[in-house]
Amino acid sequence: MASTPSPVAIITGSSRGIGAACARELALAGYRVVVNYLNNAEAAEHVCSSIIDNGGEAITCQANVGNRSDRERIIQQTHDAFGRLDLLVNNAGITSQGRRDLLEATEESWDMVFDTNLKGPFFLSQLAAKQMLSNQCGPNGVIVNINSISSYAISENRADYCIAKAGLETMTKVFASRLASEQILVYEVCPGVIASDMTAPVKEKYDRLISEGLSPIQRWGTVEDVATAVRILASGDLSFSTGERLNVDGGFHIRRL
Ligand code: NDP
């Protein structure tokens, strides 16, 4: 009997930060991975070669998730290289451009943030789901969206980011509901404050907030904390759960008095 081929994962924005950690973690778990990036080819190549050096399989794929033809190219290159798709991790994301106060927020930032953080995941998930349904054998697939505590904890200087992430929560549920009958599970991981290039410019602020008790577990989250959660959800082991959120936030979401 023919054995099921190794599963294939696309991780958007995996040249750096949380995405890079997910690519490494999933490769160690046996996935063949597509390392997507926007500009940073060198970093993407580095992630890819470290996976290959460890005995895994990986390719890089330059594509802007906010652009339709680029999204189609990610799916096509994945199919050309590996012939199937089992997992999409919608990780690529940017913060509000300039972190301006609400009253000074710009349309340019809104459009960039929404294209990258919400429109991209929505239409890439649509393409990925169709691709997963064409797998010749094995289970149909899993989609994991990387959301944020900013989907419910607002920042007045990142309104577009917060609103896009709030939309991603509903997107997770809509896809979970529609794709359940297709045997595709859909989840979201909700990181708290994670050390990465995104949070480097506000490190001192978060150092202070964490030391003052921002979350019950008093430390920065790591990109590996998030990658572990993605691997667990991607496993398909939670086969009667879909549309779920897994918080990776040191307990930040717990309302306290
Ligand atoms: P980083 O800024 O460290 O990395 C961003 C990654 O996304 C890079 O690989 C970048 O590629 C890629 N990227 C950016 N824009 C696009 C695009 N249009 N198309 C394709 N790839 C793109 O971010 P983090 O690792 O910190 O964040 C990853 C995700 O986690 C985001 O969705 C973010 O909102 C979320 N998150 C992060 C938290 C944190 O504290 N860090 C907390 C909660 C959620 P390149 O290298 O080419 O620029």
Side-chain angles (χ1 to χ4, degrees):
M1 206 170 73
S3 60
T4 309
S6 304
V8 175
I10 297 170
I11 305 100
T12 65
S14 46
S15 44
R16 294 183 283 126
I18 290 170
C22 290
R24 292 193 170 99
E25 179 80 19
L26 291 165
L28 282 175
Y31 288 81
R32 296 175 283 169
V33 302
V34 177
V35 177
N36 160 247
Y37 66 100
L38 180 62
N39 295 314
N40 206 331
E42 198 178 327
E45 288 298 344
H46 179 71
V47 173
C48 199
S49 53
S50 71
I51 288 170
I52 293 167
D53 289 348
N54 278 323
E57 283 185 63
I59 59 164
T60 59
C61 177
Q62 190 287 326
N64 179 351
V65 296
N67 179 285
R68 180 193 303 193
S69 56
D70 283 18
R71 288 190 296 270
E72 289 168 350
R73 192 157 41 74
I74 300 177
I75 299 293
Q76 189 60 50
Q77 285 189 11
T78 303
H79 185 261
D80 292 347
F82 298 130
R84 61 182 289 120
L85 179 60
D86 300 272
L87 170 65
L88 169 64
V89 183
N90 281 311
N91 165 77
I94 54 171
T95 194
S96 190
Q97 303 302 288
R99 298 183 192 247
R100 289 164 180 256
D101 175 72
L102 176 66
L103 299 184
E104 306 301 329
T106 64
E107 282 194 42
E108 289 74 19
S109 176
W110 175 281
D111 288 343
M112 272 186 75
V113 166
F114 269 74
D115 282 359
T116 309
N117 295 11
L118 191 56
K119 186 175 92 172
F122 183 96
F123 288 104
L124 189 59
S125 296
Q126 186 186 59
L127 291 176
K130 290 178 184 170
Q131 190 64 36
M132 287 169 182
L133 292 177
S134 71
N135 284 343
Q136 294 300 313
C137 57
N140 283 335
V142 178
I143 296 173
V144 180
N145 298 320
I146 306 299
N147 206 323
S148 170
I149 56 174
S150 296
S151 62
Y152 61 89
I154 62 97
S155 300
E156 292 170 5
N157 65 345
R158 292 185 301 143
D160 43 18
Y161 181 80
C162 297
I163 298 166
K165 289 295 188 183
L168 190 63
E169 181 178 4
T170 301
M171 190 195 116
T172 301
K173 291 176 180 158
V174 176
F175 273 84
S177 175
R178 172 62 183 85
L179 297 179
S181 59
E182 317 284 4
Q183 286 76 51
I184 296 174
L185 302 170
V186 183
Y187 302 110
E188 65 180 16
V189 170
C190 199
V193 179
I194 307 295
S196 76
D197 292 346
M198 185 182 277
T199 46
V202 283
K203 180 177 180 310
E204 282 175 18
K205 174 186 165 189
Y206 284 126
D207 278 345
R208 179 173 50 78
L209 289 174
I210 290 167
S211 71
E212 289 169 358
L214 180 74
S215 52
I217 300 175
Q218 249 174 306
R219 67 165 172 86
W220 281 78
T222 66
V223 293
E224 290 80 15
D225 289 324
V226 183
T228 301
V230 169
R231 173 181 45 79
I232 289 168
L233 291 174
S235 69
D237 287 351
L238 306 178
S239 63
F240 196 51
S241 302
T242 193
E244 286 296 331
R245 161 173 288 189
L246 180 47
N247 293 298
V248 184
D249 64 354
F252 174 89
H253 65 282
I254 303 167
R255 296 185 74 174
R256 291 177 288 164
L257 276 174

